[in-house]
Amino acid sequence: VEHPFNHLIDTLKDGDRKYFNPQKLNDARYDKLPLSIRVLLEAAIRKCDGFYVKEEDVHNILDWSEQQNVAEVPFPPARVLLQDFTGIPAMVDLAAMRDAVTKHGVDPGLVNPVCPTDLIVHIVLVIVFCRPETALKNQELELIRNKERLQFFKWCSKAFKNVNVVPPDVGAVHQLNLEYLSQVVQESQGFIYPDSVVGTDSHTTMINGLGILGWGVGGIESEAVMLGQPISLTLPQVVGCRLVGSVNILATSIDIVLGITKHLRQAGIAGKFVEFFGPGMSQLSVPDRTTIANMCPEYNATVSFFPVDHVTLKHFKQTNFTEEKLELLEAYLKAVKLFRSYEDSSEDPQYSEINLSSMVPHVSGPKRPQDRVAVSSMKEDFQSCLNEKVGFKGFHISKEKQESLVPFLHGGQEYELAHGSVVIAAVISCTNNCNPSVMLTAGLLAKKAVEAGLIVKPYIRTSLAPGSGMVTHYLNTSGVLPYLSQLGFEVIGYGCATCVGNTAPLPETVSEAIKEGDLVACGVLSGNRHFEGRLCDCVRANYLASPPLVVAYAIAGTVSINFEKEPLGVTSEGKEVYLRDVWPTREEVQQIEQDKVISSIFTELRARREKGNTFWNNLECPESVVFPWDPKSTYIRSPSFFNKLCKEVQPPQSIENAHALLFLGDKVTTDHISPAGSIARVSAAAKYLLSKRLTPREFNSYGARRGNDAVMTRGTFASIKLQNRLIGKPGPKTVHIPSGQTLDVFEAVERYQRDGIPLIILAGKQYGSGNSRDWAAKGPYLLGVRAVIAESFEKMHKNHLVGMGIAPLQFLPGQSADSLELCGKEKFTITLPEDLSPKQMLTTSSGKTFSVTTLFDNEMDVAFYRHGGLLRYVARTML
């Protein structure tokens, strides 16, 4: 069928490159569209097939000013980005789907991603206080320990079309997305078009700093895109932020992003796009922009978009872009009006304004990223946290215990811990590491501190987990890496570490001292996730800070310090050294960045990519089209999502006489539902692994075992911080209602399944907040959860529930489990009609009758639910 928008095809000067030019619509509305919306429009025009993307969708996007917040539109991104923790379940599902269609006589080779997919392999080993050669040896051991996963990834790289697997030891996913995978302008089958991406990494939004539209999605949504379905979104509002003023000399891009985060959170922009412009843009380098773009999930925006401008082009000239590519890129972007110039202010829309000079250094904590604290007020704020009752900001420490000092021995020397003592200081694999300016600031601060005679106390668990080898390279090139090492910030590996709970254990004497004094010990990290108990279960206060401030607090040894009035440390000669004495100037940092960093990054990246990883290169893998599952494997297992798959679709069955597996409160996160850290020795997952004759040392983490549904199902609701109202205290326990016994969640599920009793979950507001995590929906599905009834849902998690065939049901406005006087021990019946429709009201009975609303956004959501989830839906379409 002829493409409905063939008349928009244009060519560039050489005539060899075709593209769809929306300007040929001759519609004045196009010039008024925000640039991020123009990317949506181009994708809809190019992918218009009359099925997934219709002409009506194109016109709705073009009519953005009237259709924003109204029209549901499709977005087919140019590519999908996976990292191994979140990517392995997707690839395991595709491998299992090949098995399922094979049983029905369908060629398994037809199961492939339709959308180009990049999968980055991370293998991280946290080893501290060891020589570099020992660290390399241990990393080799880690590769061997994860041989099963690596073999599966290598099989994927050969068996599936449209899958590019980046082997271990090249870099972290968000770093490689910026440095290696991003094209800004893509080229395929003779057509050029804007690069765009959806990824399963929480830092995917960083890419908007390069003028590439992209955001994070869950594993289930990424699988849908891989299999050819566009992302469905309500046409968003676009909030413009005009940047003016000059940056404070002590402020890093982290301070700027925290200031912008606060401003935009107060503006109430959930689900909207943010687009930056204004004279202040020239002061922000591309790494600054990617750092700012990364944090947009913290204020619930979908993206924070920085259009390509002269600063972006200058950055590209220092990277791996050829002159020919740059000429093509600039010519195309200008031809379709996706290039931004700020010289003519008449082109600027009327947007809100942010003054850069108002940004001052902040940290966030002690438990949530939205709780910002000015560094100048840190000492007073921490004191107030000790006084306040237990909550998001409080620890409720009695007055007489606030001055407690607990002595302990470490390395044969006596030290003391107090409330506020820093015991973990981590510059980790996160947005900050991808910004040379803040990493160089940390390195230069370390250099000046060492030269001034300052040290970090040896019991503090310090670590440096760069976003990629490129970070190590430029820290080395600029001469600051040895000084970071002298302060204990040794490179421990590349990938997610402290941020997801992969922290080496604290020294035993430190843990004992914390427990003995019931101390509020602190962790300081340069990430964007620090929920209570995530870093270490005995460290109650965790603060997000810029890399240089992480180094500063590590030297100080406490967060209870006023840097302006108190010395950072005292040298062995008794000289007091203040933070201002060792803080590098912005000009000093930028000079080194320009002279030694940017161009060398990409030269080194090419060399590392070409060299590859010896272990990976020599690794053997199966050559079969269908994956040969090893029944003894504890890492890779064929999930049961396709059990009893048939061509016929049954009408939705009502949920009758269900019990509540859990009765939860507000803000239950995906960390509570599906932890990503270490596997506790007394957990259901541990019992399973012990039954496979593994020792606790071989357990690894939930993240590493996401390819094994038996582990992940047993790990569902296994968080030690889970607050189940049926129990009344934190922990992975629940009440088996028929017997009244308190059991581990998985043990209770086994009893319910044996008796054929369906399960639901009761919850409060913002159920499923936090990181996207597909197992937070897959796990409950395999536990037999049919529905979640909550006051409200985090949108991405709600989409995951739908994608797994779990009904997300919402109490009516003003109602809750408490207002309906539910105790959680009732029997619940939810009546589902055969003609189920989006946003339909359903009747629920539990001794009393009340109504709930289905949160199916459209007919596709209903179709997924009717088929038992996205995966079964796609498999059935192939049958």
Side-chain angles (χ1 to χ4, degrees), residues 128-132 442-443 446-447 450 454-456 458 462-464 472 475-476 479-492 551:
V128 293
F129 307 133
C130 63
R131 295 177 179 275
K447 179 176 184 291
V450 169
L454 300 180
I455 62 169
V456 173
T462 48
S463 60
L464 170 60
T472 308
L475 289 176
N476 214 5
V480 298
L481 189 59
Y483 297 97
L484 285 164
S485 298
Q486 286 185 58
L487 294 181
F489 290 93
E490 296 274 4
V491 175
I492 61 167
V551 176

PDB file of all heavy atoms in Angstrom, residues 128-132 442-443 446-447 450 454-456 458 462-464 472 475-476 479-492 551:
ATOM      1  N   VAL A 128      37.228  -3.674  47.552  1.00  0.00           N
ATOM      2  CA  VAL A 128      37.880  -2.468  48.036  1.00  0.00           C
ATOM      3  C   VAL A 128      39.172  -2.827  48.753  1.00  0.00           C
ATOM      4  O   VAL A 128      39.382  -3.955  49.184  1.00  0.00           O
ATOM      5  CB  VAL A 128      36.961  -1.684  48.995  1.00  0.00           C
ATOM      6  CG1 VAL A 128      35.772  -1.143  48.275  1.00  0.00           C
ATOM      7  CG2 VAL A 128      36.516  -2.557  50.158  1.00  0.00           C
ATOM      8  N   PHE A 129      40.042  -1.820  48.870  1.00  0.00           N
ATOM      9  CA  PHE A 129      41.308  -1.971  49.576  1.00  0.00           C
ATOM     10  C   PHE A 129      42.142  -3.113  48.976  1.00  0.00           C
ATOM     11  O   PHE A 129      42.619  -3.995  49.679  1.00  0.00           O
ATOM     12  CB  PHE A 129      41.093  -2.224  51.076  1.00  0.00           C
ATOM     13  CG  PHE A 129      40.217  -1.194  51.722  1.00  0.00           C
ATOM     14  CD1 PHE A 129      39.184  -1.567  52.565  1.00  0.00           C
ATOM     15  CD2 PHE A 129      40.411   0.156  51.468  1.00  0.00           C
ATOM     16  CE1 PHE A 129      38.372  -0.615  53.155  1.00  0.00           C
ATOM     17  CE2 PHE A 129      39.613   1.107  52.057  1.00  0.00           C
ATOM     18  CZ  PHE A 129      38.592   0.725  52.891  1.00  0.00           C
ATOM     19  N   CYS A 130      42.288  -3.139  47.654  1.00  0.00           N
ATOM     20  CA  CYS A 130      43.148  -4.135  47.031  1.00  0.00           C
ATOM     21  C   CYS A 130      43.939  -3.479  45.914  1.00  0.00           C
ATOM     22  O   CYS A 130      43.581  -2.410  45.415  1.00  0.00           O
ATOM     23  CB  CYS A 130      42.325  -5.305  46.477  1.00  0.00           C
ATOM     24  SG  CYS A 130      41.166  -4.847  45.172  1.00  0.00           S
ATOM     25  N   ARG A 131      45.021  -4.112  45.547  1.00  0.00           N
ATOM     26  CA  ARG A 131      45.863  -3.581  44.481  1.00  0.00           C
ATOM     27  C   ARG A 131      45.132  -3.674  43.140  1.00  0.00           C
ATOM     28  O   ARG A 131      44.307  -4.563  42.937  1.00  0.00           O
ATOM     29  CB  ARG A 131      47.177  -4.362  44.399  1.00  0.00           C
ATOM     30  CG  ARG A 131      48.054  -4.216  45.641  1.00  0.00           C
ATOM     31  CD  ARG A 131      49.295  -5.077  45.507  1.00  0.00           C
ATOM     32  NE  ARG A 131      50.145  -4.936  46.675  1.00  0.00           N
ATOM     33  CZ  ARG A 131      51.046  -3.968  46.819  1.00  0.00           C
ATOM     34  NH1 ARG A 131      51.199  -3.068  45.869  1.00  0.00           N
ATOM     35  NH2 ARG A 131      51.782  -3.894  47.906  1.00  0.00           N
ATOM     36  N   PRO A 132      45.470  -2.768  42.178  1.00  0.00           N
ATOM     37  CA  PRO A 132      44.796  -2.802  40.869  1.00  0.00           C
ATOM     38  C   PRO A 132      44.884  -4.161  40.195  1.00  0.00           C
ATOM     39  O   PRO A 132      43.923  -4.633  39.606  1.00  0.00           O
ATOM     40  CB  PRO A 132      45.539  -1.719  40.071  1.00  0.00           C
ATOM     41  CG  PRO A 132      46.053  -0.769  41.115  1.00  0.00           C
ATOM     42  CD  PRO A 132      46.382  -1.615  42.298  1.00  0.00           C
ATOM     43  N   ALA A 442      35.843  16.723  41.424  1.00  0.00           N
ATOM     44  CA  ALA A 442      36.116  15.784  42.517  1.00  0.00           C
ATOM     45  C   ALA A 442      37.587  15.400  42.537  1.00  0.00           C
ATOM     46  O   ALA A 442      38.229  15.343  43.605  1.00  0.00           O
ATOM     47  CB  ALA A 442      35.244  14.545  42.376  1.00  0.00           C
ATOM     48  N   GLY A 443      38.152  15.126  41.355  1.00  0.00           N
ATOM     49  CA  GLY A 443      39.552  14.740  41.282  1.00  0.00           C
ATOM     50  C   GLY A 443      40.497  15.855  41.691  1.00  0.00           C
ATOM     51  O   GLY A 443      41.483  15.627  42.408  1.00  0.00           O
ATOM     52  N   ALA A 446      40.377  16.288  45.367  1.00  0.00           N
ATOM     53  CA  ALA A 446      41.182  15.247  46.008  1.00  0.00           C
ATOM     54  C   ALA A 446      42.666  15.580  45.935  1.00  0.00           C
ATOM     55  O   ALA A 446      43.414  15.419  46.912  1.00  0.00           O
ATOM     56  CB  ALA A 446      40.903  13.891  45.346  1.00  0.00           C
ATOM     57  N   LYS A 447      43.104  16.062  44.768  1.00  0.00           N
ATOM     58  CA  LYS A 447      44.516  16.430  44.586  1.00  0.00           C
ATOM     59  C   LYS A 447      44.929  17.523  45.573  1.00  0.00           C
ATOM     60  O   LYS A 447      45.946  17.420  46.273  1.00  0.00           O
ATOM     61  CB  LYS A 447      44.736  16.907  43.148  1.00  0.00           C
ATOM     62  CG  LYS A 447      46.150  17.353  42.816  1.00  0.00           C
ATOM     63  CD  LYS A 447      46.249  17.705  41.326  1.00  0.00           C
ATOM     64  CE  LYS A 447      47.677  18.052  40.933  1.00  0.00           C
ATOM     65  NZ  LYS A 447      48.134  19.320  41.511  1.00  0.00           N
ATOM     66  N   VAL A 450      44.951  16.142  49.216  1.00  0.00           N
ATOM     67  CA  VAL A 450      46.124  15.321  49.508  1.00  0.00           C
ATOM     68  C   VAL A 450      47.363  16.199  49.668  1.00  0.00           C
ATOM     69  O   VAL A 450      48.166  16.019  50.595  1.00  0.00           O
ATOM     70  CB  VAL A 450      46.336  14.267  48.405  1.00  0.00           C
ATOM     71  CG1 VAL A 450      47.699  13.595  48.549  1.00  0.00           C
ATOM     72  CG2 VAL A 450      45.228  13.217  48.442  1.00  0.00           C
ATOM     73  N   LEU A 454      45.503  16.222  53.939  1.00  0.00           N
ATOM     74  CA  LEU A 454      44.276  15.642  54.478  1.00  0.00           C
ATOM     75  C   LEU A 454      44.161  14.167  54.082  1.00  0.00           C
ATOM     76  O   LEU A 454      44.701  13.734  53.053  1.00  0.00           O
ATOM     77  CB  LEU A 454      43.051  16.409  53.979  1.00  0.00           C
ATOM     78  CG  LEU A 454      42.993  17.901  54.348  1.00  0.00           C
ATOM     79  CD1 LEU A 454      41.723  18.524  53.787  1.00  0.00           C
ATOM     80  CD2 LEU A 454      43.074  18.090  55.848  1.00  0.00           C
ATOM     81  N   ILE A 455      43.417  13.391  54.888  1.00  0.00           N
ATOM     82  CA  ILE A 455      43.200  11.969  54.617  1.00  0.00           C
ATOM     83  C   ILE A 455      41.724  11.623  54.855  1.00  0.00           C
ATOM     84  O   ILE A 455      40.970  12.416  55.411  1.00  0.00           O
ATOM     85  CB  ILE A 455      44.083  11.071  55.521  1.00  0.00           C
ATOM     86  CG1 ILE A 455      43.723  11.294  57.014  1.00  0.00           C
ATOM     87  CG2 ILE A 455      45.559  11.327  55.279  1.00  0.00           C
ATOM     88  CD1 ILE A 455      44.352  10.276  57.945  1.00  0.00           C
ATOM     89  N   VAL A 456      41.339  10.417  54.431  1.00  0.00           N
ATOM     90  CA  VAL A 456      40.028   9.847  54.753  1.00  0.00           C
ATOM     91  C   VAL A 456      40.265   8.708  55.737  1.00  0.00           C
ATOM     92  O   VAL A 456      41.148   7.870  55.520  1.00  0.00           O
ATOM     93  CB  VAL A 456      39.315   9.319  53.489  1.00  0.00           C
ATOM     94  CG1 VAL A 456      38.039   8.566  53.862  1.00  0.00           C
ATOM     95  CG2 VAL A 456      38.990  10.463  52.542  1.00  0.00           C
ATOM     96  N   PRO A 458      40.343   5.277  57.447  1.00  0.00           N
ATOM     97  CA  PRO A 458      40.378   4.008  56.703  1.00  0.00           C
ATOM     98  C   PRO A 458      39.147   3.123  56.875  1.00  0.00           C
ATOM     99  O   PRO A 458      38.931   2.213  56.074  1.00  0.00           O
ATOM    100  CB  PRO A 458      41.631   3.320  57.263  1.00  0.00           C
ATOM    101  CG  PRO A 458      41.869   3.945  58.602  1.00  0.00           C
ATOM    102  CD  PRO A 458      41.403   5.366  58.470  1.00  0.00           C
ATOM    103  N   THR A 462      34.876   3.619  51.087  1.00  0.00           N
ATOM    104  CA  THR A 462      34.940   4.502  49.920  1.00  0.00           C
ATOM    105  C   THR A 462      35.000   3.669  48.648  1.00  0.00           C
ATOM    106  O   THR A 462      35.540   2.559  48.649  1.00  0.00           O
ATOM    107  CB  THR A 462      36.180   5.403  49.993  1.00  0.00           C
ATOM    108  OG1 THR A 462      37.316   4.592  50.307  1.00  0.00           O
ATOM    109  CG2 THR A 462      36.028   6.469  51.055  1.00  0.00           C
ATOM    110  N   SER A 463      34.471   4.202  47.569  1.00  0.00           N
ATOM    111  CA  SER A 463      34.529   3.481  46.294  1.00  0.00           C
ATOM    112  C   SER A 463      34.307   4.444  45.138  1.00  0.00           C
ATOM    113  O   SER A 463      33.680   5.492  45.288  1.00  0.00           O
ATOM    114  CB  SER A 463      33.481   2.367  46.255  1.00  0.00           C
ATOM    115  OG  SER A 463      32.177   2.895  46.399  1.00  0.00           O
ATOM    116  N   LEU A 464      34.842   4.057  43.986  1.00  0.00           N
ATOM    117  CA  LEU A 464      34.665   4.809  42.749  1.00  0.00           C
ATOM    118  C   LEU A 464      34.273   3.810  41.670  1.00  0.00           C
ATOM    119  O   LEU A 464      35.073   2.962  41.280  1.00  0.00           O
ATOM    120  CB  LEU A 464      35.964   5.536  42.376  1.00  0.00           C
ATOM    121  CG  LEU A 464      36.057   6.178  40.992  1.00  0.00           C
ATOM    122  CD1 LEU A 464      34.977   7.221  40.803  1.00  0.00           C
ATOM    123  CD2 LEU A 464      37.433   6.800  40.782  1.00  0.00           C
ATOM    124  N   THR A 472      37.586   6.586  33.833  1.00  0.00           N
ATOM    125  CA  THR A 472      38.912   6.257  34.360  1.00  0.00           C
ATOM    126  C   THR A 472      39.988   6.865  33.468  1.00  0.00           C
ATOM    127  O   THR A 472      40.990   7.400  33.948  1.00  0.00           O
ATOM    128  CB  THR A 472      39.097   4.726  34.421  1.00  0.00           C
ATOM    129  OG1 THR A 472      37.996   4.154  35.109  1.00  0.00           O
ATOM    130  CG2 THR A 472      40.384   4.367  35.131  1.00  0.00           C
ATOM    131  N   LEU A 475      40.169  10.717  33.946  1.00  0.00           N
ATOM    132  CA  LEU A 475      40.700  11.029  35.278  1.00  0.00           C
ATOM    133  C   LEU A 475      42.204  10.753  35.321  1.00  0.00           C
ATOM    134  O   LEU A 475      42.973  11.482  35.960  1.00  0.00           O
ATOM    135  CB  LEU A 475      39.987  10.200  36.349  1.00  0.00           C
ATOM    136  CG  LEU A 475      38.532  10.559  36.646  1.00  0.00           C
ATOM    137  CD1 LEU A 475      37.937   9.584  37.649  1.00  0.00           C
ATOM    138  CD2 LEU A 475      38.394  11.993  37.152  1.00  0.00           C
ATOM    139  N   ASN A 476      42.611   9.709  34.613  1.00  0.00           N
ATOM    140  CA  ASN A 476      44.036   9.382  34.533  1.00  0.00           C
ATOM    141  C   ASN A 476      44.782  10.399  33.683  1.00  0.00           C
ATOM    142  O   ASN A 476      45.849  10.896  34.062  1.00  0.00           O
ATOM    143  CB  ASN A 476      44.195   7.980  33.930  1.00  0.00           C
ATOM    144  CG  ASN A 476      45.377   7.242  34.514  1.00  0.00           C
ATOM    145  OD1 ASN A 476      46.023   7.733  35.435  1.00  0.00           O
ATOM    146  ND2 ASN A 476      45.665   6.079  33.980  1.00  0.00           N
ATOM    147  N   GLY A 479      45.482  13.496  35.382  1.00  0.00           N
ATOM    148  CA  GLY A 479      46.413  13.377  36.491  1.00  0.00           C
ATOM    149  C   GLY A 479      45.799  13.372  37.876  1.00  0.00           C
ATOM    150  O   GLY A 479      46.524  13.492  38.874  1.00  0.00           O
ATOM    151  N   VAL A 480      44.472  13.194  38.001  1.00  0.00           N
ATOM    152  CA  VAL A 480      43.846  13.272  39.323  1.00  0.00           C
ATOM    153  C   VAL A 480      43.515  11.906  39.920  1.00  0.00           C
ATOM    154  O   VAL A 480      43.240  11.797  41.120  1.00  0.00           O
ATOM    155  CB  VAL A 480      42.561  14.134  39.284  1.00  0.00           C
ATOM    156  CG1 VAL A 480      42.890  15.558  38.874  1.00  0.00           C
ATOM    157  CG2 VAL A 480      41.514  13.521  38.355  1.00  0.00           C
ATOM    158  N   LEU A 481      43.526  10.845  39.093  1.00  0.00           N
ATOM    159  CA  LEU A 481      43.130   9.528  39.593  1.00  0.00           C
ATOM    160  C   LEU A 481      43.987   9.045  40.770  1.00  0.00           C
ATOM    161  O   LEU A 481      43.456   8.510  41.747  1.00  0.00           O
ATOM    162  CB  LEU A 481      43.159   8.500  38.455  1.00  0.00           C
ATOM    163  CG  LEU A 481      42.558   7.129  38.766  1.00  0.00           C
ATOM    164  CD1 LEU A 481      41.100   7.248  39.182  1.00  0.00           C
ATOM    165  CD2 LEU A 481      42.682   6.200  37.558  1.00  0.00           C
ATOM    166  N   PRO A 482      45.318   9.230  40.733  1.00  0.00           N
ATOM    167  CA  PRO A 482      46.137   8.782  41.880  1.00  0.00           C
ATOM    168  C   PRO A 482      45.743   9.453  43.192  1.00  0.00           C
ATOM    169  O   PRO A 482      45.839   8.835  44.259  1.00  0.00           O
ATOM    170  CB  PRO A 482      47.561   9.161  41.463  1.00  0.00           C
ATOM    171  CG  PRO A 482      47.526   9.234  39.976  1.00  0.00           C
ATOM    172  CD  PRO A 482      46.169   9.749  39.644  1.00  0.00           C
ATOM    173  N   TYR A 483      45.289  10.695  43.123  1.00  0.00           N
ATOM    174  CA  TYR A 483      44.914  11.403  44.346  1.00  0.00           C
ATOM    175  C   TYR A 483      43.587  10.882  44.897  1.00  0.00           C
ATOM    176  O   TYR A 483      43.407  10.776  46.115  1.00  0.00           O
ATOM    177  CB  TYR A 483      44.835  12.906  44.079  1.00  0.00           C
ATOM    178  CG  TYR A 483      46.170  13.485  43.670  1.00  0.00           C
ATOM    179  CD1 TYR A 483      46.488  13.683  42.337  1.00  0.00           C
ATOM    180  CD2 TYR A 483      47.122  13.811  44.634  1.00  0.00           C
ATOM    181  CE1 TYR A 483      47.712  14.201  41.948  1.00  0.00           C
ATOM    182  CE2 TYR A 483      48.357  14.331  44.264  1.00  0.00           C
ATOM    183  CZ  TYR A 483      48.648  14.518  42.925  1.00  0.00           C
ATOM    184  OH  TYR A 483      49.867  15.029  42.567  1.00  0.00           O
ATOM    185  N   LEU A 484      42.657  10.541  43.988  1.00  0.00           N
ATOM    186  CA  LEU A 484      41.422   9.895  44.447  1.00  0.00           C
ATOM    187  C   LEU A 484      41.744   8.560  45.113  1.00  0.00           C
ATOM    188  O   LEU A 484      41.177   8.215  46.153  1.00  0.00           O
ATOM    189  CB  LEU A 484      40.473   9.686  43.261  1.00  0.00           C
ATOM    190  CG  LEU A 484      39.749  10.935  42.738  1.00  0.00           C
ATOM    191  CD1 LEU A 484      39.157  10.681  41.355  1.00  0.00           C
ATOM    192  CD2 LEU A 484      38.656  11.374  43.698  1.00  0.00           C
ATOM    193  N   SER A 485      42.676   7.810  44.511  1.00  0.00           N
ATOM    194  CA  SER A 485      43.083   6.524  45.093  1.00  0.00           C
ATOM    195  C   SER A 485      43.695   6.708  46.475  1.00  0.00           C
ATOM    196  O   SER A 485      43.437   5.917  47.391  1.00  0.00           O
ATOM    197  CB  SER A 485      44.083   5.821  44.167  1.00  0.00           C
ATOM    198  OG  SER A 485      43.502   5.540  42.915  1.00  0.00           O
ATOM    199  N   GLN A 486      44.505   7.748  46.647  1.00  0.00           N
ATOM    200  CA  GLN A 486      45.134   7.986  47.945  1.00  0.00           C
ATOM    201  C   GLN A 486      44.104   8.252  49.039  1.00  0.00           C
ATOM    202  O   GLN A 486      44.342   7.971  50.210  1.00  0.00           O
ATOM    203  CB  GLN A 486      46.112   9.163  47.856  1.00  0.00           C
ATOM    204  CG  GLN A 486      47.405   8.830  47.136  1.00  0.00           C
ATOM    205  CD  GLN A 486      48.388   9.986  47.186  1.00  0.00           C
ATOM    206  OE1 GLN A 486      48.776  10.446  48.251  1.00  0.00           O
ATOM    207  NE2 GLN A 486      48.780  10.468  46.008  1.00  0.00           N
ATOM    208  N   LEU A 487      42.942   8.779  48.640  1.00  0.00           N
ATOM    209  CA  LEU A 487      41.867   9.020  49.612  1.00  0.00           C
ATOM    210  C   LEU A 487      40.936   7.822  49.739  1.00  0.00           C
ATOM    211  O   LEU A 487      39.907   7.900  50.409  1.00  0.00           O
ATOM    212  CB  LEU A 487      41.074  10.269  49.220  1.00  0.00           C
ATOM    213  CG  LEU A 487      41.832  11.597  49.287  1.00  0.00           C
ATOM    214  CD1 LEU A 487      40.917  12.751  48.887  1.00  0.00           C
ATOM    215  CD2 LEU A 487      42.404  11.847  50.679  1.00  0.00           C
ATOM    216  N   GLY A 488      41.274   6.728  49.066  1.00  0.00           N
ATOM    217  CA  GLY A 488      40.463   5.515  49.187  1.00  0.00           C
ATOM    218  C   GLY A 488      39.463   5.298  48.074  1.00  0.00           C
ATOM    219  O   GLY A 488      38.782   4.268  48.040  1.00  0.00           O
ATOM    220  N   PHE A 489      39.361   6.248  47.151  1.00  0.00           N
ATOM    221  CA  PHE A 489      38.397   6.113  46.056  1.00  0.00           C
ATOM    222  C   PHE A 489      39.048   5.354  44.902  1.00  0.00           C
ATOM    223  O   PHE A 489      39.433   5.916  43.881  1.00  0.00           O
ATOM    224  CB  PHE A 489      37.891   7.490  45.617  1.00  0.00           C
ATOM    225  CG  PHE A 489      37.017   8.150  46.631  1.00  0.00           C
ATOM    226  CD1 PHE A 489      37.558   9.030  47.567  1.00  0.00           C
ATOM    227  CD2 PHE A 489      35.660   7.884  46.686  1.00  0.00           C
ATOM    228  CE1 PHE A 489      36.751   9.634  48.518  1.00  0.00           C
ATOM    229  CE2 PHE A 489      34.847   8.478  47.637  1.00  0.00           C
ATOM    230  CZ  PHE A 489      35.401   9.356  48.560  1.00  0.00           C
ATOM    231  N   GLU A 490      39.164   4.032  45.114  1.00  0.00           N
ATOM    232  CA  GLU A 490      39.732   3.157  44.099  1.00  0.00           C
ATOM    233  C   GLU A 490      38.635   2.755  43.111  1.00  0.00           C
ATOM    234  O   GLU A 490      37.472   2.604  43.483  1.00  0.00           O
ATOM    235  CB  GLU A 490      40.291   1.886  44.752  1.00  0.00           C
ATOM    236  CG  GLU A 490      41.448   2.125  45.702  1.00  0.00           C
ATOM    237  CD  GLU A 490      42.791   2.176  44.989  1.00  0.00           C
ATOM    238  OE1 GLU A 490      42.797   2.105  43.739  1.00  0.00           O
ATOM    239  OE2 GLU A 490      43.807   2.295  45.687  1.00  0.00           O
ATOM    240  N   VAL A 491      39.018   2.558  41.856  1.00  0.00           N
ATOM    241  CA  VAL A 491      38.070   2.074  40.865  1.00  0.00           C
ATOM    242  C   VAL A 491      37.724   0.620  41.193  1.00  0.00           C
ATOM    243  O   VAL A 491      38.607  -0.231  41.291  1.00  0.00           O
ATOM    244  CB  VAL A 491      38.655   2.164  39.445  1.00  0.00           C
ATOM    245  CG1 VAL A 491      37.696   1.537  38.434  1.00  0.00           C
ATOM    246  CG2 VAL A 491      38.942   3.608  39.079  1.00  0.00           C
ATOM    247  N   ILE A 492      36.429   0.337  41.398  1.00  0.00           N
ATOM    248  CA  ILE A 492      35.995  -1.005  41.801  1.00  0.00           C
ATOM    249  C   ILE A 492      35.288  -1.764  40.685  1.00  0.00           C
ATOM    250  O   ILE A 492      34.978  -2.944  40.828  1.00  0.00           O
ATOM    251  CB  ILE A 492      35.059  -0.937  43.030  1.00  0.00           C
ATOM    252  CG1 ILE A 492      33.815  -0.121  42.691  1.00  0.00           C
ATOM    253  CG2 ILE A 492      35.787  -0.394  44.238  1.00  0.00           C
ATOM    254  CD1 ILE A 492      32.708  -0.236  43.697  1.00  0.00           C
ATOM    255  N   VAL A 551      33.521  13.437  48.140  1.00  0.00           N
ATOM    256  CA  VAL A 551      34.914  13.413  48.596  1.00  0.00           C
ATOM    257  C   VAL A 551      35.072  14.293  49.839  1.00  0.00           C
ATOM    258  O   VAL A 551      35.739  13.914  50.807  1.00  0.00           O
ATOM    259  CB  VAL A 551      35.858  13.880  47.470  1.00  0.00           C
ATOM    260  CG1 VAL A 551      37.300  13.952  47.972  1.00  0.00           C
ATOM    261  CG2 VAL A 551      35.752  12.941  46.271  1.00  0.00           C
TER     262      VAL A 551
END
